[in-house]
Structures are given as C-alpha cells and as structure tokens.
Amino acid sequence: MEKQELIQMLNNDMAEEHGSIIRYLVHSYLEGEDTPMGAKLLSRSREEMWHMHWLGMIIGDLGGAPNLTPAKYPFDPTNRKTIFKSYVDYEVKLVSHYQEEAKKVDDPHIRRVLMREGWESDMHAGKFQKMHDKLSPAEAEGLPGEENELPEQFVETLQQLVEVKYNQMLQSLHDAWTFQKSGLSAWQIMDFSYTKMKQLAHIAEEVAENGFEPRFKDKGAIHHADIGKALQNALESVRDTRERHLTVKNDPEAKKHGGLMTNLDLSINQETYEAEEIEGWLKK
Ligand SMILES: [Fe+2]
Ligand SMILES: [Fe+2]
C-alpha cells in the first residue's frame, strides 16, 4: 500500500475512534460518571482514546497530518435500549473492518495495532451487549440526562469554554504526534494534553449534568512547520484559556457552585504552570 493511501486509511479510522470517544464520553456524563452505567461508558471511552492515540502515533511517524475531525457516530436515540443496540452494531462492524485493513498492511507494528483495534472492538461489542441485556424496563425505555438547573447564559459561557479547551487539547495531541521525533518536547506536550483533557472534563461534566450535550466542535488543528512555532502557539492558547477561566471564576453564578470553583482554581494554577514551562523551553 502506498504511504499516502495508508495515511488516508488510518486517518479515516482515527475519525471513527474519535467519534466513538465523544459518543461514549457524552453518554457517560449524561448518565453521571459515578453511576454504574456511566462508569462503564467512561471506561469504553478511555479505551477508544488509546485506539485513537496509537493511530495518531503511526500517522505522525509516517509524516502525515493527523485528522482531528471526528466521524459522526451513528446511533438510534429513541431510548437506552436502541442506543445500546446501536453501540453493539457499530462495534461489531469494526471487527471485520480492522481485520480487512490489517491484511492490506505490510508493517508488522501497524498490522498488530489494527488487529488489536479489531479484537478490542469485539470486546466492546460484548460489553455493550451485556449492558443492553441488563437494562431494567424503566432504564430501557428511558433516556440519559438530567434537568437543567443553570441559567441559560451561564450554560453558554461553559459551552464556550468546552469548545476552546477541546480544540486546545486536540492541538496538543496533534503537536505531540507530529513532533514525536523531537524527543522530550513531544513527551512534554503529550503530558500537557492529559491535563487539558481533565480540565475539559470538569467543565463538560458540569454542562452534561444539566442535560446538555457538551460542545465538542472541532475547528481543525494547525499543522505547524516546526516545534518552535507549535510551542509559541501553545503558549498563546494556554494564556487565553487561563484568562477565560479567570473570567468565569468571577461570574456570580460560578460562585454558587463550590465544586466548579475548586476545579477552576486548579485549572488556572495548572495553566500558569504550563505557560511558565513553555516560556522556559522557548528560551533554550
Ligand atoms: Fe476503538
Ligand atoms: Fe470500541
């Protein structure tokens, strides 16, 4: 298989993995991640994150630009029963899909990754089938989601934060994958992407707890010419989100939510740390 064709194939797979991360994550948050159903969905979402990461590492290693636009996850939203049935169908299709792709590839590592994505999809299908079969009649007929308790304007403020932090996190993954041959810097960028995921989760959970789907709307990552430019961009981006977090912290509505305030403080401190670290690397 030609290199460009291979990159294209893996980028399509990455879009699917990304789409499933978001679907299981949003569903988990809507159930509440501390509920048995929410916790299981969160586990599946994390496994899809590995799947996406392995593909991102391969694409970056091949010199390709990772595609960070998620595919649309197909599901029947009528009730939990139809939703879980859709998840099973989706994961089952991926098993043969990945097996077929693996056959077309010569590189043993890429082949193993594709095979693993296949058998882990099979495991996911089995786990979702179990969840589907165990639904109580009330759960089966119902839908995840809670009543909104926040003012509309404040929900919008949080949604804007979700969108910006989501794109910042995607950009850092993009940079870590594409500059993986730059050694330690790429590791450090990857490290920061984990913090960004956590900061994103704090806000996205708050949104979903009030019955809204968090605004995971990708704007497309920038393919930087060199790591210096990537770091400069990362620095400006983290300064921007720090300012946004400070603004939200001063919102009278935010002050009513103790848990949110704690997480905002944490995010602001982490962003200060990150900005100082990047400034240090840029000076070297
Ligand atoms: Fe997957
Ligand atoms: Fe899966």
Side-chain angles (χ1 to χ4, degrees):
M1 190 184 277
E2 289 288 319
K3 191 158 123 176
Q4 280 317 313
E5 199 189 335
L6 177 61
I7 290 171
Q8 185 60 48
M9 181 182 93
L10 299 173
N11 259 331
N12 291 341
D13 290 336
M14 180 139 96
E16 292 295 332
E17 295 299 329
H18 190 175
S20 56
I21 291 169
I22 293 177
R23 173 81 299 260
Y24 305 151
L25 195 63
V26 168
H27 189 167
S28 166
Y29 289 166
L30 290 171
E31 297 287 359
E33 60 167 319
D34 49 358
T35 64
M37 218 185 288
K40 288 189 183 99
L41 283 156
L42 193 62
S43 271
R44 298 297 82 75
S45 180
R46 288 196 178 127
E47 287 151 2
E48 305 298 8
M49 290 178 202
W50 305 344
H51 292 177
M52 184 175 175
H53 173 61
W54 301 332
L55 296 170
M57 285 299 285
I58 296 169
I59 293 164
D61 182 48
L62 291 169
N67 167 22
L68 290 174
T69 303
K72 209 173 165 356
Y73 190 107
F75 70 103
D76 177 349
T78 311
N79 54 41
R80 279 195 189 84
K81 190 120 187 138
T82 64
I83 292 173
F84 279 107
K85 173 76 173 66
S86 302
Y87 294 174
V88 174
D89 294 346
Y90 180 84
E91 295 284 352
V92 164
K93 272 188 201 151
L94 285 179
V95 182
S96 54
H97 167 83
Y98 277 121
Q99 284 167 350
E100 288 307 311
E101 283 192 348
K103 281 184 204 158
K104 296 183 204 162
V105 175
D106 296 323
D107 181 281
H109 166 66
I110 303 176
R111 212 166 47 220
R112 265 195 300 273
V113 165
L114 292 169
M115 288 302 289
R116 181 168 175 188
E117 305 235 354
W119 48 259
E120 291 199 359
S121 300
D122 192 34
M123 179 269 287
H124 284 178
K127 293 207 167 183
F128 284 135
Q129 185 67 54
K130 226 174 182 175
M131 289 175 83
H132 169 276
D133 297 345
K134 275 189 173 169
L135 290 168
S136 70
E139 283 170 342
E141 281 169 24
L143 277 167
E146 296 287 330
E147 288 279 303
N148 177 31
E149 286 167 4
L150 297 175
E152 204 176 315
Q153 187 56 46
F154 191 64
V155 174
E156 179 53 30
T157 302
L158 295 180
Q159 288 282 36
Q160 285 173 13
L161 259 185
V162 167
E163 193 175 343
V164 174
K165 188 51 82 171
Y166 170 59
N167 279 284
Q168 184 187 71
M169 183 273 295
L170 289 181
Q171 182 68 53
S172 65
L173 285 176
H174 186 283
D175 293 339
W177 291 330
T178 50
F179 294 114
Q180 61 184 270
K181 286 169 187 153
S182 305
L184 189 59
S185 304
W187 271 98
Q188 287 163 324
I189 298 171
M190 183 53 77
D191 176 35
F192 284 0
S193 76
Y194 298 148
T195 322
K196 294 176 199 307
M197 284 177 212
K198 189 80 195 182
Q199 293 164 350
L200 174 62
H202 289 320
I203 307 294
E205 277 168 41
E206 195 75 31
V207 169
E209 265 172 28
N210 286 281
F212 298 97
E213 294 228 353
R215 200 176 290 158
F216 293 128
K217 214 166 95 190
D218 87 290
K219 290 196 168 139
I222 308 162
H223 198 57
H224 291 289
D226 59 69
I227 195 156
K229 289 204 176 65
L231 289 175
Q232 189 59 47
N233 181 276
L235 178 59
E236 284 158 24
S237 176
V238 82
R239 281 176 181 156
D240 169 65
T241 49
R242 188 177 173 277
E243 283 308 311
R244 286 171 188 268
H245 279 134
L246 282 166
T247 307
V248 177
K249 216 189 121 182
N250 287 321
D251 191 306
E253 182 60 34
K255 291 186 199 293
K256 295 181 197 163
H257 307 272
L260 177 65
M261 289 299 276
T262 306
N263 287 329
L264 284 169
D265 272 331
L266 183 63
S267 296
I268 292 159
N269 287 336
Q270 289 168 341
E271 286 168 325
T272 307
Y273 169 94
E274 274 188 30
E276 287 173 2
E277 286 280 281
I278 300 173
E279 280 161 358
W281 304 338
L282 284 168
K283 272 183 206 141
K284 278 184 201 164

